[in-house]
Amino acid sequence: MFDPAFHADPYPVYARLREEEPVHRTVMGAWIITRYADVKALLRDNNFGVFDIPGRIERKSPFLERKKIGELRTLASAMRRWLMLCDPPDHTRLRSLVNRSFTPTAVESLRPRIQETVDRLIARVRSTGRMDIVNDLACPLAVTMIASMLGVPEEAHSSVTRWADGLSRVLDPLRSLEQYAEMNNVAQEFLAYFRGLFAERRKNPKNDLISSLIAVTDQGDRLTEDEMLSVCMLMFIAGEKTTVNLLGNGVLALLNNRSEFERLRQEPTLIRSAIDEILRYDSPVQLNTRVPKKDLVLHGQTIPAGDLVYFSLGAANRDPSQFEQPDKFDITRRENRHLAFSGGIHYCLGAALALLEGQIAIGTLVREFPDMALVPGKTEWMKEIIFRGPQTLPVTFTP
Ligand code: HEM
């Protein structure tokens, strides 16, 4: 997991794990499950709870305080209320409050705004004949859409982008103490800004997610202000890098498989199955973390209660017992029941939004830039184990 060759191409390692040790104990003591059937079943298994990432971060705080480089309590306490880090009953209550902003109808109403944002971002670079898919298109698109749903005014979008970037690696375990201290500072700035925005919206409600959360808080004790702040932070953490990786991995897969790019250009209605295939072929989120509440025996191995378990969505999505020719990128694939959005109670809340953004952004790129090509050179992958995507993705096209 720490080897650059693994970041570049984890799939041969996944294939070996699936075949030889589908329940594997890593040198760090965590377990990794790689077969589709196991991952799918265990995601729905109530004997698994969330892994206490906020607790792990909080336990580092005394070291930072001793070195006088800060503390981590703001960050840890905001994270305690993130949906994917909560078990029921808190999870059930918090999720029901935000669910209605993400129904297919609510998301479909965002279509014009998504198309308009994609067109505006493309217009900025069109005459240059060059763009970086990650930084010129994917990041600003993902942040703009989350910020608009929440109701963050346009002038704050650049600060919000900076905070979202600063916090985006918080779920990944490969962080230094200094990086955590920096993330805690970013969390403080983020929360201070959103506290001000809540006060403003309380006076002048609008048709946005923040105003509807305020309406719920004002009804009684169903949602505290701290929980509301955490919900806002979570949207950026859960929705930014993931969508960016969908677009980055998608453009990369299409340009590395030119016949599929051409097929999509000839038949634009394939965009829906193309986006699902991208999500399966190179999943933006590679791992979910969980902890069994009691000992579990699987394929002859005993996983003790309380141990950290990784469900490898990336490996499950290339399992030949579920997908025919799993290493082939095929935008017409049928019965594509990938696990890129996870499963069970933590199934991705933003899946409909991510699919729509992916369909509009990639559909527009293929239509507008038929000769789009990768700038030759090595693709630098994010050095993360949870997320998978290119750090930058420069492409050229006829201006
Ligand atoms: C292609 C883009 C996306 C992918 C691949 C993705 C993937 C995932 C995955 C795998 C999980 C489960 C985490 C776990 O079980 O531990 C998840 C949860 C979540 N996602 Fe997404 N996501 C994407 C986009 C978004 C967007 C755009 C939003 C919102 C703006 C969002 C909001 C959430 C939330 C709030 C959760 C937590 C749900 C819960 O625990 O109940 N996601 N996502």
Side-chain angles (χ1 to χ4, degrees), residues 46-69:
N46 293 336
N47 284 319
F48 276 84
V50 296
F51 177 55
D52 184 17
I53 299 181
R56 194 184 59 186
I57 292 181
E58 202 155 31
R59 283 191 289 280
K60 297 179 197 285
S61 205
F63 297 105
L64 271 89
E65 282 162 34
R66 233 172 286 149
K67 288 172 106 187
K68 298 205 184 329
I69 52 172

Short mmCIF file of all heavy atoms in Angstrom, two decimals, residues 46-69:
data_model
loop_
_atom_site.label_atom_id
_atom_site.label_comp_id
_atom_site.label_asym_id
_atom_site.label_seq_id
_atom_site.Cartn_x
_atom_site.Cartn_y
_atom_site.Cartn_z
N ASN A 46 -24.99 -6.10 9.85
CA ASN A 46 -25.13 -5.21 11.02
C ASN A 46 -24.12 -5.48 12.11
O ASN A 46 -24.05 -4.74 13.09
CB ASN A 46 -26.53 -5.33 11.61
CG ASN A 46 -27.55 -4.77 10.65
OD1 ASN A 46 -27.21 -3.93 9.81
ND2 ASN A 46 -28.79 -5.25 10.74
N ASN A 47 -23.37 -6.59 11.97
CA ASN A 47 -22.34 -6.85 12.98
C ASN A 47 -21.11 -5.99 12.77
O ASN A 47 -20.16 -6.07 13.55
CB ASN A 47 -21.93 -8.32 12.95
CG ASN A 47 -23.00 -9.16 13.59
OD1 ASN A 47 -23.55 -8.75 14.62
ND2 ASN A 47 -23.33 -10.28 12.98
N PHE A 48 -21.11 -5.19 11.70
CA PHE A 48 -19.99 -4.28 11.49
C PHE A 48 -20.41 -2.85 11.84
O PHE A 48 -21.50 -2.41 11.49
CB PHE A 48 -19.53 -4.30 10.02
CG PHE A 48 -18.58 -5.42 9.73
CD1 PHE A 48 -19.06 -6.69 9.43
CD2 PHE A 48 -17.21 -5.22 9.78
CE1 PHE A 48 -18.18 -7.73 9.17
CE2 PHE A 48 -16.34 -6.26 9.53
CZ PHE A 48 -16.82 -7.52 9.22
N GLY A 49 -19.53 -2.14 12.53
CA GLY A 49 -19.78 -0.72 12.82
C GLY A 49 -18.69 0.11 12.17
O GLY A 49 -17.80 -0.43 11.49
N VAL A 50 -18.75 1.42 12.38
CA VAL A 50 -17.76 2.29 11.75
C VAL A 50 -16.45 2.26 12.55
O VAL A 50 -16.44 1.93 13.73
CB VAL A 50 -18.27 3.74 11.65
CG1 VAL A 50 -19.47 3.82 10.74
CG2 VAL A 50 -18.59 4.33 13.02
N PHE A 51 -15.36 2.60 11.89
CA PHE A 51 -14.06 2.67 12.54
C PHE A 51 -13.92 4.07 13.16
O PHE A 51 -14.28 5.06 12.52
CB PHE A 51 -12.96 2.42 11.50
CG PHE A 51 -11.56 2.54 12.05
CD1 PHE A 51 -11.17 1.79 13.14
CD2 PHE A 51 -10.65 3.40 11.46
CE1 PHE A 51 -9.87 1.89 13.64
CE2 PHE A 51 -9.35 3.51 11.96
CZ PHE A 51 -8.97 2.76 13.05
N ASP A 52 -13.39 4.13 14.37
CA ASP A 52 -13.34 5.40 15.11
C ASP A 52 -12.15 6.26 14.64
O ASP A 52 -11.17 6.43 15.37
CB ASP A 52 -13.25 5.09 16.61
CG ASP A 52 -13.29 6.36 17.45
OD1 ASP A 52 -13.70 7.41 16.92
OD2 ASP A 52 -12.90 6.29 18.64
N ILE A 53 -12.26 6.83 13.43
CA ILE A 53 -11.17 7.69 12.92
C ILE A 53 -11.04 8.95 13.79
O ILE A 53 -9.92 9.35 14.14
CB ILE A 53 -11.40 8.05 11.43
CG1 ILE A 53 -11.41 6.77 10.58
CG2 ILE A 53 -10.31 9.01 10.92
CD1 ILE A 53 -11.61 6.98 9.10
N PRO A 54 -12.17 9.60 14.19
CA PRO A 54 -12.00 10.78 15.04
C PRO A 54 -11.24 10.46 16.34
O PRO A 54 -10.39 11.25 16.78
CB PRO A 54 -13.44 11.20 15.36
CG PRO A 54 -14.26 10.61 14.26
CD PRO A 54 -13.58 9.35 13.85
N GLY A 55 -11.51 9.30 16.93
CA GLY A 55 -10.81 8.91 18.17
C GLY A 55 -9.32 8.76 17.90
O GLY A 55 -8.48 9.20 18.68
N ARG A 56 -8.98 8.14 16.75
CA ARG A 56 -7.56 7.95 16.41
C ARG A 56 -6.88 9.31 16.25
O ARG A 56 -5.76 9.51 16.70
CB ARG A 56 -7.46 7.16 15.10
CG ARG A 56 -6.08 6.63 14.82
CD ARG A 56 -5.99 5.96 13.49
NE ARG A 56 -6.34 6.86 12.40
CZ ARG A 56 -6.46 6.50 11.13
NH1 ARG A 56 -6.30 5.25 10.80
NH2 ARG A 56 -6.75 7.37 10.21
N ILE A 57 -7.60 10.27 15.65
CA ILE A 57 -7.02 11.61 15.46
C ILE A 57 -6.89 12.31 16.82
O ILE A 57 -5.87 12.90 17.13
CB ILE A 57 -7.89 12.43 14.47
CG1 ILE A 57 -7.77 11.81 13.07
CG2 ILE A 57 -7.48 13.89 14.46
CD1 ILE A 57 -8.54 12.51 11.99
N GLU A 58 -7.93 12.20 17.63
CA GLU A 58 -7.92 12.88 18.93
C GLU A 58 -6.76 12.38 19.81
O GLU A 58 -6.15 13.16 20.54
CB GLU A 58 -9.25 12.65 19.64
CG GLU A 58 -9.53 13.71 20.68
CD GLU A 58 -11.03 13.86 20.91
OE1 GLU A 58 -11.76 12.86 20.77
OE2 GLU A 58 -11.45 14.97 21.26
N ARG A 59 -6.46 11.08 19.70
CA ARG A 59 -5.38 10.53 20.53
C ARG A 59 -4.01 11.09 20.16
O ARG A 59 -3.06 10.95 20.90
CB ARG A 59 -5.39 9.00 20.47
CG ARG A 59 -6.50 8.38 21.32
CD ARG A 59 -6.35 6.88 21.47
NE ARG A 59 -6.63 6.17 20.23
CZ ARG A 59 -7.86 5.89 19.77
NH1 ARG A 59 -8.92 6.27 20.45
NH2 ARG A 59 -8.02 5.23 18.64
N LYS A 60 -3.92 11.72 18.96
CA LYS A 60 -2.64 12.32 18.56
C LYS A 60 -2.49 13.71 19.18
O LYS A 60 -1.40 14.28 19.18
CB LYS A 60 -2.55 12.46 17.03
CG LYS A 60 -2.58 11.15 16.27
CD LYS A 60 -2.52 11.44 14.77
CE LYS A 60 -2.95 10.24 13.95
NZ LYS A 60 -1.98 9.17 13.88
N SER A 61 -3.60 14.29 19.65
CA SER A 61 -3.59 15.68 20.10
C SER A 61 -2.54 15.96 21.18
O SER A 61 -1.81 16.94 21.07
CB SER A 61 -4.99 16.07 20.58
OG SER A 61 -5.16 17.44 20.47
N PRO A 62 -2.41 15.12 22.25
CA PRO A 62 -1.41 15.42 23.28
C PRO A 62 0.02 15.54 22.71
O PRO A 62 0.81 16.36 23.18
CB PRO A 62 -1.51 14.22 24.22
CG PRO A 62 -2.87 13.65 24.00
CD PRO A 62 -3.21 13.94 22.58
N PHE A 63 0.36 14.76 21.65
CA PHE A 63 1.70 14.84 21.06
C PHE A 63 1.91 16.22 20.44
O PHE A 63 2.96 16.83 20.55
CB PHE A 63 1.90 13.77 19.97
CG PHE A 63 1.81 12.37 20.49
CD1 PHE A 63 0.69 11.61 20.26
CD2 PHE A 63 2.86 11.83 21.24
CE1 PHE A 63 0.59 10.32 20.75
CE2 PHE A 63 2.77 10.53 21.73
CZ PHE A 63 1.63 9.78 21.49
N LEU A 64 0.88 16.72 19.77
CA LEU A 64 0.98 18.03 19.12
C LEU A 64 1.10 19.12 20.19
O LEU A 64 1.87 20.06 20.04
CB LEU A 64 -0.26 18.32 18.28
CG LEU A 64 -0.20 17.84 16.86
CD1 LEU A 64 -0.71 16.43 16.76
CD2 LEU A 64 -1.03 18.72 15.96
N GLU A 65 0.32 18.95 21.26
CA GLU A 65 0.35 19.97 22.31
C GLU A 65 1.73 20.01 22.95
O GLU A 65 2.28 21.07 23.20
CB GLU A 65 -0.74 19.68 23.35
CG GLU A 65 -2.11 20.11 22.84
CD GLU A 65 -3.28 19.48 23.59
OE1 GLU A 65 -3.16 19.25 24.81
OE2 GLU A 65 -4.30 19.20 22.93
N ARG A 66 2.34 18.81 23.17
CA ARG A 66 3.68 18.76 23.75
C ARG A 66 4.69 19.43 22.84
O ARG A 66 5.57 20.14 23.28
CB ARG A 66 4.08 17.30 24.00
CG ARG A 66 4.52 17.07 25.44
CD ARG A 66 4.73 15.60 25.72
NE ARG A 66 3.47 14.87 25.84
CZ ARG A 66 3.30 13.59 25.50
NH1 ARG A 66 4.29 12.89 24.98
NH2 ARG A 66 2.16 13.00 25.67
N LYS A 67 4.54 19.23 21.50
CA LYS A 67 5.47 19.86 20.55
C LYS A 67 5.09 21.31 20.27
O LYS A 67 5.72 21.97 19.46
CB LYS A 67 5.47 19.07 19.22
CG LYS A 67 6.16 17.72 19.30
CD LYS A 67 5.94 16.94 18.02
CE LYS A 67 7.15 16.86 17.14
NZ LYS A 67 6.92 16.24 15.84
N LYS A 68 4.02 21.76 20.88
CA LYS A 68 3.49 23.13 20.72
C LYS A 68 3.20 23.46 19.25
O LYS A 68 3.54 24.53 18.76
CB LYS A 68 4.46 24.17 21.32
CG LYS A 68 4.69 24.02 22.80
CD LYS A 68 5.10 25.32 23.43
CE LYS A 68 5.45 25.27 24.89
NZ LYS A 68 4.80 24.30 25.73
N ILE A 69 2.61 22.51 18.53
CA ILE A 69 2.24 22.79 17.14
C ILE A 69 0.72 22.71 16.95
O ILE A 69 0.24 22.54 15.84
CB ILE A 69 2.97 21.89 16.11
CG1 ILE A 69 2.83 20.41 16.46
CG2 ILE A 69 4.41 22.28 15.92
CD1 ILE A 69 3.35 19.48 15.39
#
